[in-house]
Amino acid sequence: MPNTFPARDHNFISTLSIELHLCVTWDEYDEEDQNLVTLRLSGSMEDRVPDPPNGDDEESRLAVDRVLM
């Protein structure tokens, strides 16, 4: 999505992406040189989001799946 978010929303988007186990990047550009915010499912090692400090259980993974579906 185009990175037209005010600075106060960056923290919200970053926190939400961690909660949903997504990888967020703020410094990508499209073919028209427009700055983008990119959210990806964590799957590859470079996109891997660290597990929460208390670990990750099956119920948590199912909740994330429900939100993303």
Side-chain angles (χ1 to χ4, degrees), residues 2 28-36:
E28 293 189 21
Y29 292 86
D30 64 9
E31 57 277 346
E32 297 168 0
D33 207 31
Q34 182 179 17
N35 185 252
L36 302 174

Side-chain angles (χ1 to χ4, degrees), residues 2-3 5 7-10 12 14 16 19-20 23 31 34 36 40 46-47 54-55 59 61 63 65 67:
N3 187 4
F5 299 102
R8 68 177 187 266
D9 290 344
H10 285 212
F12 172 77
S14 294
L16 181 64
E19 293 293 323
L20 295 176
C23 181
E31 57 277 346
Q34 182 179 17
L36 302 174
R40 291 186 178 91
E46 62 260 350
D47 289 342
N54 62 349
E59 184 177 335
R61 289 177 194 236
D65 287 346
V67 170

Side-chain angles (χ1 to χ4, degrees), residues 37-60:
V37 176
T38 306
L39 296 167
R40 291 186 178 91
L41 294 172
S42 59
S44 64
M45 290 307 285
E46 62 260 350
D47 289 342
R48 180 120 168 78
V49 176
D51 288 334
N54 62 349
D56 193 10
D57 60 356
E58 186 64 22
E59 184 177 335
S60 172

